Amino acid sequence: MSDFAARRVTMVDTQVRPSDVTKFPIIDAMLTVQREDFVPAAQREAAYLGENLDLGQDRVLLDPRTLAKMLDHLDITNDELVLDIGCAMGYSSAVIAHMAEAVVAVEEDEAMAAEAQEALAQAGADNVIVHVAPLTEGAPQHGPYDVVIIQGAVGDVPEALLEQVKEGGRIACLFMDRGLGEVRVGYKRGGQVSWRPEFNAGAPVLRGFERQAEFQL
């Protein structure tokens, strides 16, 4: 039988801490949440590898380093409402639930959303709502949000999601351009989001988040 608890410690000690992620809420959450319960049954043995976990249809569970560093730069506090776009089977939402007041987890795949609902309930993440909707739409009825995070890469961010960021809030996205990826954090001031580059990473671009072709004369 696999010792998943030991694997969680190894994941944090070899993937998270060496990436300069040291905030206690992040470390504690990633040591506590049982990542193997938030992946397809056939993938449980691969749950703690230091790479994106393929979920099919160009969807992945972001590698632990990337998620941890995104959360580190977002610096979520326990009085904040977070919108988690593309939660898949709920791992990211379970981790964020340890830091935030509440999480709205958006998933468009109904089967994965059902799996997320069950896994989050089993994990006792009772401050997470799973919302089934297109990822590009988010969940405006529950917003605006202090923090928005997207679990996958983007070419462009739909305006509908930027509108759901609260004034003074922030959003983290992994932008891919010609095979190169960069995580940026956006800060909303005066109704506009300004982006700051933070670190390099990679993942497939989510459907509906492709870069829009620019019209040229």
Side-chain angles (χ1 to χ4, degrees):
M1 181 177 292
S2 297
D3 186 350
F4 288 118
R7 293 191 193 188
R8 278 194 293 284
V9 173
T10 300
M11 173 189 74
V12 168
D13 287 347
T14 63
Q15 300 176 47
V16 177
R17 293 187 197 272
S19 299
D20 294 325
V21 178
T22 59
K23 291 186 176 76
F24 175 78
I26 301 173
I27 298 296
D28 183 55
M30 298 191 87
L31 285 172
T32 302
V33 176
Q34 299 179 17
R35 188 174 167 95
E36 71 274 12
D37 292 341
F38 294 89
V39 303
Q43 301 268 46
R44 283 172 65 87
E45 289 298 322
Y48 292 95
L49 295 180
E51 57 191 43
N52 294 332
L53 191 65
D54 185 8
L55 301 176
Q57 299 180 332
D58 288 331
R59 296 289 301 279
V60 298
L61 176 61
L62 290 175
D63 72 274
R65 167 193 172 272
T66 298
L67 177 62
K69 286 181 71 67
M70 291 174 84
L71 295 175
D72 187 56
H73 288 291
L74 285 169
D75 199 20
I76 297 165
T77 59
N78 61 11
D79 60 349
E80 292 187 311
L81 177 62
V82 179
L83 177 64
D84 188 22
I85 297 290
C87 72
M89 295 174 67
Y91 176 73
S92 55
S93 298
V95 171
I96 296 167
H98 280 258
M99 308 166 206
E101 181 174 6
V103 183
V104 177
V106 178
E107 180 49 58
E108 62 188 13
D109 183 294
E110 293 188 3
M112 282 203 288
E115 295 268 13
Q117 189 74 63
E118 182 176 350
L120 288 162
Q122 289 290 328
D126 56 5
N127 59 337
V128 181
I129 297 171
V130 178
H131 180 80
V132 181
L135 304 187
T136 54
E137 293 182 5
Q141 59 270 59
H142 299 295
Y145 301 91
D146 299 288
V147 174
V148 176
I149 183 170
I150 300 178
Q151 303 297 330
V154 305
D156 284 324
V157 183
E159 189 63 31
L161 295 184
L162 297 178
E163 290 175 355
Q164 292 171 52
V165 180
K166 182 183 294 185
E167 178 67 21
R170 54 236 187 260
I171 177 171
C173 306
L174 168 51
F175 287 85
M176 293 294 295
D177 184 16
R178 298 182 179 88
L180 299 175
E182 180 181 67
V183 171
R184 303 171 194 163
V185 176
Y187 301 85
K188 194 168 193 177
R189 303 289 186 272
Q192 299 296 316
V193 175
S194 57
W195 296 95
R196 178 186 301 168
E198 297 295 358
F199 64 95
N200 296 328
V205 174
L206 296 166
R207 285 180 296 184
F209 291 79
E210 298 86 357
R211 181 178 296 279
Q212 300 301 310
E214 295 181 0
F215 178 75
Q216 294 181 337
L217 292 174

